[in-house]
Amino acid sequence: MKQETTYDAIVIGSGMTGGWAAKELTEKGLKTLVLEAGRPIVPEEDYVEHVPPWEMRFRGMRDRRKQREDQPIQGTCYACDEWSAKFFVSDKENPYTTAPGKPFRWIRGRQVGGRSIMWGRQVYRWSDLDFEANLRQGIAIDWPIRYADIAPWYDYVEDFIGITGEALGLPQLPDSKFLPPMELNCAEITVRDAIAKHFGGERVLTIGRAAILTKAHGGRAACHYCGPCERGCITRSYFSSVNATLPAAEKTGRMTLRPHSVVHSLIFDAKARRVSGVRVLDAQTRAPLEFHGKVVFLCASALESVRILFNSSTPEFSTGLANSSGELGHNVMDHVKAGGATAIIPGHDDRFVLGRRPNGIYVPRFRNVKTKQAEFLRGYGLQGGAHRESWQRGIAQPGFGPEFKKATSQPGPWQFTFSGFGECLPNHDNFVELDKDKVDAWGIPVLKIHSSWGENELALRKDMSIAAAEMLAAAGARDIQPFADDEPPGFSIHEMGTARMGRDPKTSVLNSYNQAHDVKNLFITDGGAMVSSSCVNPSLTYMALTARACDYAVEQMKRGEI
Ligand SMILES: Cc1cc2nc3c(=O)[nH]c(=O)nc-3n(C[C@H](O)[C@H](O)[C@H](O)COP(=O)(O)OP(=O)(O)OC[C@H]3O[C@@H](n4cnc5c(N)ncnc54)[C@H](O)[C@@H]3O)c2cc1C
Ligand code: SF4
């Protein structure tokens, strides 16, 4: 069965970036088709943030057998619990392979809204320290943009999504347009003050910057601190595509959202040198379909978008559509984490917290900002926070009877954790390719991922544990336990870099507006476009780049250039 409607624009994926492309393109007047591989989401039925454990079949302890069989990879993510496992892919239906000795944990969501439903909502701007780093250090290629190019688009995106946070005026971490900050708790204030006193202003602890509303904004309600945001949010208080951008696109009357639409490949018109349409498999019926559009936005996530381009190869682009540079699929990055420290903060025994603040603390990057480190390039930020140990700590204690009951009913001490996210250097040898021997549940060839940490990432991870322990010691903490665990790439869920931007078509896939050098009506605005990784959570930058690319594409269409 073929479909012949021609749309002004086709957006592939409805997650963080696809939602933004849908909103911007429809608001600018384009009749837009959004193709989403996964199922639709109905907040009233799918969101489960208020369901208590005793209403869950396994009381929140998960169906471990099902998880082992169906989600052995997804189940390793902290957010994939009994409630929210349904927002993560089936590993059985969506396999991938890795090179021997190079594990990679690929955490994915396949539904309307993608991973914007389960994300951690931490949002930080990049600075020129990030955009200029490759050039200054002679690594990979230079970014074709600077902070000044993207700053107005950060403003634009932040005005819409709503961000809580504290302005600090730091050059390495520009302030966003903030709603009121959430409060630090007493133990976090102790650590913040000790850091300010002992590190001469070089290190700063602040409340996390998060895409959560601390007051009503844009028709969405303020957060009521129920806590488990990865299960959805019926008051739409945190930003997701389902909560904000897709409704905005829907409101224009120009969006056609088609769930259960697995994009197989793009149709390339070699004569016109344009993408003329998209080949789709209906996820339920498996019927092949075709849709046609004047411009195509690939927003299927950094690795999935590249997989679609590999599956769209033509005689001219035999290694993947728009890959004349040979860089498509290369330079895979993810933030290095699993370095930090935990400790007990003594005191405050008469204090407790009210509500479940859905946010932690942040220590912005301080390495290689003012002073140079000999052991590594670039830096990391530390996330984490303090909480009072609950009755659940008692489960692990020996004993029974009244004494045991009494012990478990008392809150424990204040526990503090610092956990780093470090910059990953772009490296041509970290790459993905098609695994010709394996297909997914729809018969589409899957990716083989070749990725491992380099020496710089490992040095950063080690330093995170040292610096975290230093700050806890300065705060008078006890039982300080530094950690630097051997976690593989992928687990920060910030995979990026597979279709990088650049000035030179010989060394990059996209130009400075996310437009493919080789195919003018093709844009890739997910994490694939990144030229380096900074150390901050990336989604805010993906959203800003998407809005900027949409603006450019529509202007180019008006001028008849596309
Ligand atoms: C638990 C968790 C915590 C996170 N925390 C943070 C955080 O605090 N801050 C931050 O910045 N980032 C965070 N992230 C990462 C963030 O979610 C991603 O960076 C972001 O969602 C990427 O946006 P995207 O549009 O590229 O991809 P997604 O949001 O993953 O959307 C991609 C969409 O494309 C669809 N798709 C894929 N293939 C096809 C196909 N062939 N055909 C049709 N549709 C397709 C998918 O079904 C999906 O809906 C977190 C992620 C997770 C899972
Ligand atoms: S904590 Fe706030 S943002 Fe999170 S689900 Fe509850 S109301 Fe929504």
Side-chain angles (χ1 to χ4, degrees):
M1 189 177 73
K2 301 246 163 170
Q3 307 246 329
E4 291 303 339
T5 320
T6 294
Y7 294 87
D8 294 327
I10 296 180
V11 175
I12 301 171
S14 65
M16 196 80 74
T17 58
W20 265 97
K23 169 178 145 29
E24 293 304 298
L25 296 173
T26 52
E27 287 182 347
K28 289 176 192 299
L30 268 52
K31 198 170 64 164
T32 303
L33 172 67
V34 180
L35 294 168
E36 167 53 54
R39 69 182 177 100
I41 291 294
V42 181
E44 292 72 17
E45 290 164 16
D46 287 305
Y47 288 175
V48 284
E49 75 276 21
H50 295 148
V51 177
W54 54 89
E55 285 181 18
M56 298 301 290
R57 175 143 187 245
F58 295 92
R59 305 293 183 261
M61 308 293 277
R62 308 182 187 197
D63 180 346
R64 273 169 279 177
R65 186 186 304 148
K66 184 156 180 269
Q67 188 192 309
R68 250 194 328 268
E69 285 166 8
D70 196 43
Q71 293 185 310
I73 297 161
Q74 308 306 307
T76 59
C77 173
Y78 72 94
C80 183
D81 62 14
E82 192 178 337
W83 288 262
S84 52
K86 63 183 179 181
F87 296 132
F88 290 79
V89 297
S90 153
D91 291 316
K92 227 159 63 187
E93 289 186 346
N94 298 279
Y96 62 96
T97 59
T98 52
K102 292 189 172 183
F104 186 94
R105 286 204 203 133
W106 190 10
I107 306 294
R108 283 172 287 171
R110 209 171 225 233
Q111 61 266 320
V112 169
R115 287 176 292 186
S116 73
I117 296 178
M118 320 85 90
W119 73 312
R121 309 158 307 280
Q122 292 292 303
V123 278
Y124 301 92
R125 290 189 179 201
W126 282 39
S127 70
D128 274 337
L129 188 67
D130 304 307
F131 287 113
E132 290 172 2
N134 279 2
L135 179 66
R136 268 189 277 109
Q137 294 161 352
I139 289 174
I141 58 168
D142 185 19
W143 273 89
I145 58 170
R146 291 292 182 263
Y147 182 68
D149 297 302
I150 196 171
W153 295 100
Y154 279 136
D155 288 349
Y156 180 76
V157 165
E158 289 165 0
D159 273 339
F160 182 76
I161 70 178
I163 295 182
T164 170
E166 179 194 21
L168 296 172
L170 299 174
Q172 74 272 34
L173 190 75
D175 294 323
S176 292
K177 297 182 94 181
F178 291 125
L179 301 176
M182 294 182 178
E183 281 181 30
L184 297 176
N185 64 39
C186 55
E188 292 164 348
I189 290 171
T190 298
V191 178
R192 178 196 66 188
D193 293 349
I195 290 173
K197 191 166 150 210
H198 287 85
F199 295 95
E202 194 187 29
R203 302 187 196 181
V204 180
L205 185 151
T206 184
I207 187 72
R209 299 177 174 181
I212 300 178
L213 305 182
T214 44
K215 62 179 197 188
H217 180 82
R220 297 188 282 127
C223 169
H224 53 272
Y225 282 39
C226 68
C229 309
E230 61 278 2
R231 299 174 193 166
C233 180
I234 202 68
T235 51
R236 300 193 294 141
S237 309
Y238 75 79
F239 171 81
S240 72
S241 307
V242 178
N243 290 349
T245 40
L246 292 174
E250 181 68 40
K251 212 166 124 193
T252 64
R254 286 187 278 269
M255 176 176 73
T256 304
L257 172 60
R258 194 178 194 285
H260 298 302
S261 303
V262 181
V263 172
H264 173 282
S265 50
L266 308 184
I267 305 162
F268 181 61
D269 178 342
K271 223 151 130 208
R273 308 206 58 72
R274 298 165 62 86
V275 173
S276 60
V278 177
R279 293 184 201 95
V280 168
L281 290 169
D282 186 290
Q284 294 173 304
T285 65
R286 287 164 200 257
L289 304 166
E290 273 183 21
F291 297 95
H292 299 273
K294 296 176 192 154
V295 65
V296 172
F297 270 69
L298 256 180
C299 300
S301 80
L303 302 189
E304 289 287 10
S305 288
V306 167
R307 182 176 163 213
I308 291 169
L309 292 175
F310 283 154
N311 280 317
S312 312
S313 55
T314 68
E316 180 185 348
F317 294 108
S318 59
T319 59
L321 187 61
N323 190 26
S324 67
S325 67
E327 288 297 330
L328 191 71
H330 287 268
N331 310 298
V332 177
M333 295 170 275
D334 180 36
H335 290 137
V336 60
K337 64 173 203 169
T342 61
I344 302 289
I345 307 297
H348 310 297
D349 292 335
D350 56 341
R351 308 286 298 277
F352 205 76
V353 287
L354 266 182
R356 299 188 189 122
R357 186 190 67 197
N359 192 9
I361 57 91
Y362 194 61
V363 176
R365 172 176 161 183
F366 49 89
R367 293 301 196 203
N368 290 316
V369 176
K370 285 190 187 145
T371 49
K372 218 166 159 212
Q373 290 295 124
E375 304 82 11
F376 51 80
L377 298 169
R378 313 209 184 173
Y380 53 84
L382 292 153
Q383 301 186 17
H387 68 276
R388 191 109 197 234
E389 284 185 352
S390 77
W391 63 272
Q392 282 169 315
R393 80 194 193 287
I395 293 174
Q397 311 287 327
F400 61 93
E403 285 307 308
F404 178 70
K405 207 166 153 190
K406 193 170 161 216
T408 54
S409 67
Q410 304 299 315
W414 288 91
Q415 173 90 32
F416 198 103
T417 304
F418 275 129
S419 189
F421 281 82
E423 179 156 358
C424 170
L425 297 178
N427 175 355
H428 186 81
D429 296 335
N430 285 334
F431 69 100
V432 295
E433 61 179 342
L434 280 188
D435 186 331
K436 300 217 170 67
D437 298 326
K438 203 169 179 96
V439 293
D440 68 10
W442 296 271
I444 304 174
V446 306
L447 286 182
K448 180 167 189 174
I449 305 175
H450 305 249
S451 174
S452 55
W453 300 127
E455 276 174 23
N456 203 65
E457 287 87 45
L458 298 180
L460 282 170
R461 178 188 277 162
K462 190 169 157 211
D463 193 67
M464 290 169 191
S465 66
I466 297 167
E470 278 170 6
M471 289 187 279
L472 289 166
R478 63 177 161 81
D479 298 344
I480 299 172
Q481 309 213 2
F483 59 88
D485 298 334
D486 184 20
E487 276 190 3
F491 212 40
S492 287
I493 326 179
H494 295 161
E495 72 281 359
M496 60 177 107
T498 44
R500 70 186 179 192
M501 287 177 160
R503 296 186 190 90
D504 184 353
K506 290 201 189 74
T507 57
S508 57
V509 180
L510 306 174
N511 70 12
S512 62
Y513 289 96
N514 297 69
Q515 180 183 30
H517 289 298
D518 295 333
V519 185
K520 298 288 174 229
N521 69 335
L522 173 63
F523 289 77
I524 305 174
T525 69
D526 54 34
M530 307 301 270
V531 188
S532 64
S533 67
S534 173
C535 66
V536 301
N537 306 58
S539 301
L540 179 67
T541 301
Y542 302 168
M543 291 190 257
L545 287 175
T546 302
R548 182 172 175 268
C550 290
D551 186 63
Y552 174 82
V554 173
E555 281 307 309
Q556 293 289 301
M557 286 172 92
K558 279 188 196 150
R559 284 201 208 133
E561 301 280 340
I562 292 180

